[in-house]
């Protein structure tokens, strides 16, 4: 039995945010062979569960870049910020002036003027064809479980179990400035799933750590685990897994640190990886 952990964006999801029929078939074939398939995403639990429901897939879920793992209506683990760390990071992010989202146990909080802020940044790029940036924003606002609020400073976060702070900006210098400002902190973890994104979590939150916990939960040796992904937040599970598979569209650095490379995410690359490297048939 293998444990196969699959990223969503740029990996399992097609360009329209759904899971293709070919990829669904590959996952179910693996399950029929007795393997455990898990979704491992930076997305929220609410969002990921809805994506799985629409694809008619039932499996364990790692969300928030490893902050939570969830199976059979129960948490395997659940990491979130302390009140002190959250308050400190909120001050830093508000001072930065950058767009950010707040992932809570009840859904994702988004300020009502957030999209307008991102669209203004895109206009400030001054590009002849900004469609790539508009697509990045569109994907973000297609998430399930978004909750719009006037402003974050009015929210009482007591009991909300905030487990991820997601920052997005097309101002590279400002995003780099923020990363440099918080890089030495030991009370948070920092990763990214794209060059316009910064994702901040509990210091123990990573996909690699979550992979270890789920493998232990299902009594699967780490050498029998497989990780499939495309971006920098997948590298921690690549380092833990027995086999790592990078997508054809993956970042160059990710391809350099995997066991195999499969096809592009829009060409059922996950299903191709299953056929070549995982399924007996």
């Amino acid at each position: 039995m293998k444990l196969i952990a699959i990223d969503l964006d740029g990996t399992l999801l097609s360009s329209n945010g759904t899971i293709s029929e070919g990829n669904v078939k590959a996952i179910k074939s693996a399950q029929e062979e007795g393997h455990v398939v898990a979704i491992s995403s930076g997305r929220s639990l609410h969002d990921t569960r809805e994506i799985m429901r629409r694809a008619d897939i039932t499996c364990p879920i790692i969300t928030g870049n490893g902050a939570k793992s969830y199976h059979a209506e129960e948490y395997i683990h659940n990491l979130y910020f302390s009140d002190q760390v959250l308050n400190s990071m909120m001050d830093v992010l508000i001072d930065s002036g950058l767009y950010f989202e707040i992932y809570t146990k009840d859904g994702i909080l988004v300020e009502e003027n957030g999209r307008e802020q991102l669209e203004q940044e895109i206009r400030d790029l001054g590009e002849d064809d900004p469609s790539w940036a508009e697509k990045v924003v569109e994907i973000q606002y297609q998430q399930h479980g978004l909750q719009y609020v006037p402003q974050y400073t009015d929210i009482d976060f007591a009991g909300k179990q905030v487990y991820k702070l997601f920052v997005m900006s097309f101002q590279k210098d400002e995003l780099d400035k923020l990363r440099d400002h918080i890089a030495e902190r030991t009370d948070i973890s920092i990763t990214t799933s794209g060059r316009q994104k910064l994702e901040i979590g509990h210091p123990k939150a990573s996909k690699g750590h979550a992979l270890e916990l789920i493998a232990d939960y299902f009594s699967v040796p780490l050498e029998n685990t497989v990780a499939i992904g495309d971006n920098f937040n997948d590298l921690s599970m690549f380092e833990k897994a027995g086999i790592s598979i990078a997508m054809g569209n993956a970042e160059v650095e990710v391809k350099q640190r995997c066991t195999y490379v499969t096809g592009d995410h829009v060409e059922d690359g996950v299903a191709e990886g299953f056929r070549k490297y995982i399924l007996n048939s």
Side-chain angles (χ1 to χ4, degrees):
M1 180 175 72
K2 292 184 175 68
L3 167 61
I4 307 154
I6 314 171
D7 172 52
L8 284 179
D9 291 277
T11 301
L12 186 61
L13 298 183
S14 56
S15 57
N16 64 2
T18 64
I19 303 174
S20 71
E21 182 178 341
N23 283 340
V24 170
K25 182 177 180 181
I27 288 172
K28 292 187 174 182
S29 294
Q31 291 174 325
E32 290 169 2
E33 288 189 7
H35 304 304
V36 177
V37 177
I39 300 303
S40 182
S41 176
R43 288 181 179 243
S44 72
L45 179 59
H46 293 76
D47 192 21
T48 306
R49 289 179 70 182
E50 179 62 18
I51 291 170
M52 296 299 96
R53 185 192 68 79
R54 294 185 180 194
D56 190 28
I57 295 172
T58 301
C59 65
I61 296 171
I62 296 169
T63 62
N65 290 318
K68 300 173 181 284
S69 55
Y70 187 84
H71 178 59
E73 303 300 320
E74 294 184 354
Y75 286 112
I76 297 173
H77 85 286
N78 184 18
L79 301 172
Y80 48 89
F81 296 111
S82 68
D83 292 343
Q84 181 179 2
V85 173
L86 176 61
N87 291 336
S88 172
M89 285 306 308
M90 287 290 292
D91 288 342
V92 170
L93 295 182
I94 290 172
D95 286 346
S96 77
L98 297 177
Y99 170 95
F100 69 99
E101 300 171 353
I102 304 173
Y103 286 52
T104 79
K105 67 180 181 64
D106 301 315
I108 305 171
L109 301 183
V110 180
E111 285 190 327
E112 292 172 350
N113 67 345
R115 186 161 191 161
E116 180 182 339
Q117 179 180 357
L118 291 172
E119 289 172 348
Q120 181 59 55
E121 286 191 11
I122 293 173
R123 288 192 291 271
D124 290 343
L125 290 173
E127 296 190 359
D128 292 335
D129 183 9
S131 59
W132 67 271
E134 293 168 350
K135 180 64 175 177
V136 171
V137 173
E138 184 63 31
I139 289 172
Q140 204 61 31
Y141 275 83
Q142 287 174 352
Q143 295 177 98
H144 307 285
L146 294 180
Q147 299 177 0
Y148 295 96
V149 298
Q151 54 187 18
Y152 296 140
T153 52
D154 293 337
I155 305 297
D156 179 3
F157 290 100
K160 289 195 176 295
Q161 298 185 7
V162 176
Y163 60 95
K164 176 179 161 181
L165 297 166
F166 173 88
V167 186
M168 176 184 283
S169 179
F170 299 95
Q171 303 176 73
K172 182 179 184 302
D173 291 344
E174 292 301 315
L175 200 60
D176 289 345
K177 180 180 176 181
L178 173 61
R179 179 190 285 274
D180 291 343
H181 181 61
I182 63 177
E184 300 303 318
R185 294 185 63 140
T186 59
D187 55 356
I188 58 172
S189 61
I190 304 170
T191 188
T192 181
S193 58
R195 297 188 183 274
Q196 297 79 35
K197 305 170 185 177
L198 195 62
E199 300 173 48
I200 304 161
H202 185 281
K204 292 185 178 179
S206 74
K207 290 188 178 184
H209 180 55
L211 179 66
E212 290 182 301
L213 294 175
I214 282 200
D216 181 68
Y217 179 86
F218 286 102
S219 300
V220 177
L222 276 177
E223 57 265 30
N224 290 346
T225 61
V226 181
I228 309 177
D230 74 302
N231 223 303
F232 300 105
N233 61 338
D234 298 313
L235 289 177
S236 63
M237 66 175 179
F238 277 25
E239 293 167 358
K240 300 292 184 180
I243 294 174
S244 55
I245 303 174
M247 304 301 293
N249 53 281
E251 295 285 347
V252 173
E253 296 93 326
V254 176
K255 290 182 180 179
Q256 292 171 341
R257 296 169 64 179
C258 69
T259 314
Y260 304 111
V261 176
T262 186
D264 194 287
H265 75 115
V266 298
E267 299 172 346
D268 288 1
V270 168
E272 178 185 328
F274 272 52
R275 288 193 301 271
K276 288 184 176 180
Y277 311 118
I278 300 172
L279 298 179
N280 292 327
S281 57

